[in-house]
Amino acid sequence: MISEKVNQIGASPTLKISAKAKAMRADGIDIVDLSVGEPDFPTPENAKAAGIRAIQQNFTKYTENEGIPALKKAVLSRMKEDYELTYEMNQVIISPGAKASLFLIFQVLIDEGEEVIIPAPYWVTYPMAVALSKGKPVIVPTKEENGFLLTPEELKAAINPSTKAIILNNPSNPTGAAYTKSRLEALAEVIQGEDVFVIADEIYGQLVYDDFEFRSFASLGEDIKKKTIVVNGVSKSYSMTGWRIGYALGPAEIIDGMAKVQSHSTSNPCSISQYASLEALSGQQHEVSRMVAEFQRRRNYCLRRLKSIPNISCFEPQGAFYLFPNFSAYYNKEANGTVVRNSYGMAYYLLREARVAIVPGDSFGNDACIRLSYATSMENLEKGIDRISEALAKLKIPKKIRRVALNNTVTRVKKSVPVEATVTAKMRDALVAEMDGHLTPENYYEWNANISGVIVQLRTNVSHLSDFWIENWYPAQLEADLEPHGIIYAVDGIVGREPRVFYNSETKTGVIVNSDNYGPLRSLALGMVMDISERLFGGCAVRGMSADAGGKGLILVGPPGTRKTDLFYGLLGDNSFRLHANDIVFVRQSGGRVSAECVERKLYLPTNTVEVFPRLAPLFDNSKCENIVTHKEDCRDAECLRRDDCRLDRGSLFCYKASPEAHAMLDPYWIGGKAAHTKRTELNWVFLLRNDPISPAAIKLRKDEALRILEAGESAGAKKALSPAKPQPYYNPHLLLTTEERLELQKVYFDRLLDTVTCYLFNSGVAGPDEIKKIVLV
Ligand code: PMP
């Protein structure tokens, strides 16, 4: 629904954390908010009065698109007075905040795929804004020991022919690091010889301490000025964040482009705010000096306090109002059962344990640190640091060494792939020859699986597929002497081919091209085994979730949306039931009995099952996994995102429920030992599921009714509209071949099966596991 580019970005973490802090305060919690990104001083009186005057004088209409001339002039005067920089009126634009200026610059400068160098730690908005303009953010880390400043060597190494611009935030949010004149000159020397622009975000330029001499990058010479776009605004220097006035100065052509974009977006910045800002910029500047003196006092206090906390290092910033201390010595430590693993975990821990809001360094591109803002009262700072220091003292090395590393393989292909199941013998030969050409001795895995007595050989160049294959199935005995019943080639890395599955029934050959995901391989193997075993042994496969109660088996069969998983794990929560199989069983009939077999040694289980069966989580920790989500960007759980309750944000390294495509190879015996799992059961009941609010809970079906529903494989009941799953004959997506002859065979088998088992149409919309128990446990 939402575009790719927006899907990539997250909301501003500072705003999110501040919102959380505000909400906690509203709940009566005494929270200290050290996450804020704005000065805690009032807007200067003269600016406020000018705003009011503007309203009285009816300056409340659209203004010039690029800002009122008087304000533009005032900006030019400030540039002249503060930095000895001369600009013309067509070289300046006023916008609704420096943030808006930056967005305009990216719109004007960046074509799709062009690179923008962003030194890290960076202000969170830069990479997002570049990505939204379809540019490519190139993050260049700076070092704490270099004072978080970009060196000329690092800059030079990062520039390439695709580089369009570099962002230089001086002084920096979040580190407060500022560049001296000589450091700027060294960077300018590199820029001089390159065809790149410098976006100089100097919004904290006025807020520098200890007589630090701030220089604007554009003031380093005429050549550099031509390549520089200076960004500034009234938010920080005049404590006017809510008024939303920023500005940019640079080459006339770029400013003109920005004005065009602005004319189609915000038209102009707020007229009233422009008059207020005019007064702020051109009036007395002593409020700024007062603010700077107070920030310096607070910075010194915080630094002294932080440095006295054991194992914390804190870089001494020259500007802005942030500290960026390194808290990593406290990672992987534990208090009250919570292990703090990273800066997100630290932020969450401090919020809960210390009732202090800070911003995790990871959101600025440095996970070792956290950002503290000292734009709050001395009293708050004292209280906040006291609390942080107490909370840190509680963090201890965990007693039990817990496994942190997941055994997780991320595959390129995530979902099912298209299947062509009616490949001719000729095409099969050509495909096999092609596959053989790609299987080199150095990269070749082969293993015979015994799936319900059918031997299937896998030949692959994907070690992950081989790994999962060996975990999933029982081995075929005497491998060397066996002639497999069927062969599967799974070959990845063939240039120019789409992911595809092919099957030739005559020769029982399957071919998987360019899919490294285990799902399609398992599905093909099952389809192939069904095809073989139906003819060989006269058995059939039933797709569903099966359990055993006292030697008698039941199977739940139904399309997505019929709450199969809920019902199933609901039953397993009762000790009377043993897990049989989670996806498919193979059945054979003899002497009036139906023997059902779980053919898988380990179960390929979607890990989001933890939602209904939390007991599985520690078992997944020790299983081989596929596509477990480790980054929030990959999360597919809209519900969690909506509630803004993400365990990855709280410092977890992974989430089992974030994606329906994440699987684990679970040993079913781990769930409850021998007593809780059986490989064989005698099938007694088939529950065909539907989910609607009105039908009766359970109806016993006549054989012909059951057969018709099974054959149609349709979604039953009101949920149909919600889950328009394609009808699948016999609810079986692994069927592979759906030729008429094959379906006729299926019909014969199910017809026979239904002679022996009892079939119910069960409505999960009105009934739960207890109703099934009533039928089964008599
Ligand atoms: N640049 C930096 C480095 C900032 O920290 C901020 C505000 N947090 C801005 C720009 C945006 O300021 P404005 O309020 O003018 O949009």
Side-chain angles (χ1 to χ4, degrees):
M1 186 164 78
I2 286 170
S3 78
E4 248 329 282
K5 60 181 194 302
V6 172
N7 255 335
Q8 289 172 39
I9 69 165
S12 158
T14 319
L15 297 180
K16 269 165 68 179
I17 288 161
S18 290
K20 212 167 244 172
K22 277 192 189 120
M24 285 171 82
R25 190 170 297 137
D27 283 345
I29 299 168
D30 164 34
I31 186 112
V32 177
D33 189 357
L34 305 185
S35 72
V36 285
E38 60 184 355
D40 55 318
F41 299 90
T43 294
E45 285 306 323
N46 58 344
K48 268 199 269 183
I52 293 166
R53 256 196 329 273
I55 298 173
Q56 286 161 346
Q57 293 171 355
N58 288 324
F59 295 149
T60 52
K61 299 292 171 82
Y62 287 132
T63 72
E64 286 82 352
N65 157 223
E66 66 284 1
I68 57 173
L71 179 56
K72 284 168 62 181
K73 271 200 198 117
V75 169
L76 298 193
S77 307
R78 274 260 72 81
M79 295 308 281
K80 180 92 193 134
E81 198 174 312
D82 294 345
Y83 312 126
E84 289 168 35
L85 269 166
T86 309
Y87 283 98
E88 303 298 325
M89 284 292 273
N90 62 356
Q91 293 180 309
V92 57
I93 181 169
I94 314 294
S95 58
K99 214 178 230 178
S101 283
L102 288 163
F103 266 78
L104 296 175
I105 294 170
F106 296 132
Q107 287 292 326
V108 168
L109 281 189
I110 311 298
D111 276 317
E112 185 159 353
E114 285 186 326
E115 297 184 1
V116 177
I117 294 174
I118 304 173
Y122 46 76
W123 178 43
V124 287
T125 292
Y126 298 141
M128 306 291 172
V130 169
L132 284 175
S133 309
K134 299 211 169 176
K136 185 174 161 208
V138 175
I139 309 298
V140 179
T142 62
K143 299 195 180 79
E144 195 176 340
E145 60 268 26
N146 288 343
F148 290 121
L149 297 173
L150 185 70
T151 65
E153 297 76 32
E154 287 163 345
L155 175 60
K156 198 164 179 66
I159 295 177
N160 70 52
S162 307
T163 308
K164 190 64 181 274
I166 138 162
I167 300 180
L168 204 62
N169 179 207
N170 179 29
S172 147
N173 175 4
T175 64
Y179 291 82
T180 57
K181 181 173 174 230
S182 62
R183 288 221 179 236
L184 288 179
E185 280 168 347
L187 295 179
E189 206 168 299
V190 178
I191 300 290
Q192 203 86 268
E194 304 283 353
D195 188 16
V196 298
F197 286 99
V198 174
I199 300 163
D201 181 348
E202 300 179 348
I203 193 144
Y204 296 101
Q206 305 256 62
L207 308 181
V208 289
Y209 313 117
D210 298 334
D211 304 321
F212 183 90
E213 271 191 49
F214 173 81
R215 286 291 298 255
S216 174
F217 195 72
S219 71
L220 298 181
E222 270 311 305
D223 285 350
I224 281 297
K225 192 175 157 206
K226 284 187 192 135
K227 293 181 168 190
T228 304
I229 306 119
V230 175
V231 176
N232 208 325
V234 297
S235 285
K236 315 288 170 170
S237 309
Y238 302 97
S239 204
M240 287 178 69
T241 43
W243 296 80
R244 311 305 306 126
I245 294 291
Y247 49 87
L249 303 116
E253 195 185 344
I254 294 174
I255 299 296
D256 185 52
M258 291 167 69
K260 277 190 214 155
V261 179
Q262 179 152 284
S263 77
H264 292 296
S265 47
T266 58
S267 295
N268 58 269
C270 166
S271 61
I272 303 154
S273 299
Q274 290 192 68
Y275 286 96
S277 303
L278 167 59
E279 182 57 36
L281 285 168
S282 52
Q284 288 264 3
Q285 301 292 301
H286 56 256
E287 301 266 3
V288 185
S289 327
R290 243 186 22 172
M291 193 157 80
V292 169
E294 175 60 15
F295 276 149
Q296 178 167 326
R297 196 168 76 91
R298 294 180 194 170
R299 180 204 63 162
N300 293 347
Y301 169 78
C302 294
L303 266 177
R304 188 166 50 74
R305 290 288 317 272
L306 285 174
K307 282 181 178 168
S308 71
I309 301 177
N311 301 318
I312 279 187
S313 62
C314 188
F315 161 75
E316 183 168 329
Q318 298 87 24
F321 39 69
Y322 309 107
L323 291 162
F324 204 56
N326 188 323
F327 270 40
S328 61
Y330 289 89
Y331 295 173
N332 295 317
K333 294 196 173 172
E334 180 180 36
N336 308 328
T338 310
V339 183
V340 171
R341 298 197 195 282
N342 48 31
S343 62
Y344 273 100
M346 180 58 79
Y348 181 72
Y349 173 72
L350 292 179
L351 196 63
R352 221 195 39 191
E353 185 68 34
R355 284 157 291 123
V356 176
I358 53 108
V359 190
D362 189 52
S363 51
F364 305 100
N366 181 328
D367 196 37
C369 298
I370 60 152
R371 193 192 77 173
L372 287 178
S373 157
Y374 48 88
T376 185
S377 69
M378 266 298 208
E379 188 194 343
N380 269 343
L381 290 170
E382 194 178 336
K383 192 151 88 176
I385 298 177
D386 281 348
R387 288 182 182 184
I388 290 177
S389 140
E390 270 165 42
L392 290 181
K394 287 187 198 155
L395 286 168
K396 302 281 185 252
I397 293 167
K399 288 201 188 66
K400 266 191 295 181
I401 302 295
R402 241 168 266 191
R403 235 170 60 89
V404 227
L406 261 193
N407 187 343
N408 187 32
T409 302
V410 177
T411 63
R412 189 171 31 77
V413 174
K414 301 272 193 280
K415 296 192 209 171
S416 59
V417 296
V419 181
E420 280 179 43
T422 49
V423 162
T424 61
K426 206 169 147 197
M427 198 175 155
R428 177 257 176 211
D429 291 346
L431 274 167
V432 166
E434 186 186 347
M435 296 307 119
D436 275 332
H438 284 91
L439 292 170
T440 56
E442 310 80 68
N443 220 351
Y444 179 64
Y445 308 87
E446 182 187 298
W447 203 77
N448 287 347
N450 176 349
I451 309 174
S452 189
V454 175
I455 312 302
V456 183
Q457 183 171 90
L458 173 69
R459 302 176 176 181
T460 184
N461 62 355
V462 184
S463 66
H464 165 63
L465 292 182
S466 163
D467 253 17
F468 266 43
W469 181 258
I470 295 170
E471 292 270 305
N472 196 181
W473 311 114
Y474 290 98
Q477 284 170 354
L478 297 172
E479 211 169 314
D481 310 331
L482 269 180
E483 197 54 47
H485 297 103
I487 295 179
I488 295 179
Y489 290 82
V491 182
D492 196 17
I494 305 184
V495 177
R497 267 192 176 275
E498 290 295 311
R500 273 278 182 299
V501 174
F502 301 95
Y503 182 58
N504 173 262
S505 176
E506 237 172 289
T507 58
K508 312 298 179 207
T509 312
V511 176
I512 301 179
V513 177
N514 284 352
S515 166
D516 55 346
N517 184 285
Y518 187 65
L521 172 56
R522 175 177 171 276
S523 191
L524 172 61
L526 287 169
M528 190 181 234
V529 171
M530 281 183 251
D531 185 26
I532 296 169
S533 92
E534 279 159 19
R535 292 162 217 254
L536 221 58
F537 311 121
C540 77
V542 184
R543 208 243 172 175
M545 295 178 153
S546 54
D548 170 280
K552 290 181 174 180
L554 67 92
I555 185 159
L556 308 178
V557 176
T562 50
R563 307 190 52 228
K564 190 163 64 180
T565 308
D566 291 340
L567 283 178
F568 185 60
Y569 287 95
L571 290 177
L572 293 186
D574 182 319
N575 285 339
S576 321
F577 290 89
R578 294 195 285 174
L579 166 71
H580 181 241
N582 74 316
D583 183 57
I584 198 156
V585 300
F586 279 69
V587 298
R588 284 182 202 171
Q589 300 173 64
S590 65
R593 292 170 156 206
V594 182
S595 150
E597 186 195 6
C598 167
V599 299
E600 295 177 88
R601 191 168 73 94
K602 291 194 179 176
L603 307 177
Y604 184 60
L605 211 70
T607 57
N608 62 8
T609 311
V610 294
E611 260 185 294
V612 287
F613 209 59
R615 269 200 259 164
L616 294 174
L619 310 182
F620 293 155
D621 290 351
N622 293 304
S623 304
K624 287 192 178 182
C625 295
E626 185 183 61
N627 294 324
I628 306 297
V629 170
T630 51
H631 288 95
K632 196 169 169 183
E633 304 86 76
D634 301 325
C635 174
R636 303 250 318 274
D637 190 332
E639 169 63 14
C640 244
L641 292 175
R642 198 174 48 71
R643 274 190 283 124
D644 197 15
D645 175 26
C646 171
R647 43 180 295 148
L648 296 170
D649 273 353
R650 302 198 309 255
S652 278
L653 295 180
F654 54 83
C655 176
Y656 286 132
K657 69 190 223 14
S659 163
E661 274 116 35
H663 287 83
M665 266 301 168
L666 180 77
D667 188 325
Y669 285 111
W670 288 357
I671 296 178
K674 267 207 165 322
H677 174 51
T678 178
K679 289 288 171 195
R680 241 171 253 284
T681 182
E682 197 179 305
L683 198 58
N684 262 260
W685 302 276
V686 173
F687 288 88
L688 296 177
L689 304 183
R690 60 174 162 182
N691 176 3
D692 70 62
I694 40 176
S695 309
I699 304 173
K700 205 176 198 167
L701 293 173
R702 287 199 322 267
K703 180 176 149 182
D704 62 315
E705 292 167 328
L707 194 59
R708 193 204 61 75
I709 296 174
L710 271 162
E711 205 182 346
E714 69 207 4
S715 320
K719 267 277 168 162
K720 198 167 174 177
L722 295 178
S723 97
K726 206 170 77 208
Q728 278 158 333
Y730 304 95
Y731 298 99
N732 191 340
H734 312 299
L735 259 190
L736 205 55
L737 276 177
T738 47
T739 56
E740 237 169 76
E741 183 217 344
R742 177 76 192 290
L743 291 180
E744 207 40 56
L745 253 183
Q746 290 283 309
K747 197 167 179 173
V748 173
Y749 291 130
F750 273 93
D751 186 282
R752 250 201 287 155
L753 176 70
L754 290 166
D755 280 336
T756 317
V757 300
T758 312
C759 192
Y760 283 89
L761 184 57
F762 189 86
N763 182 8
S764 61
V766 298
D770 287 345
E771 259 72 25
I772 294 184
K773 285 185 209 165
K774 273 187 213 149
I775 296 170
V776 174
L777 300 177
V778 279

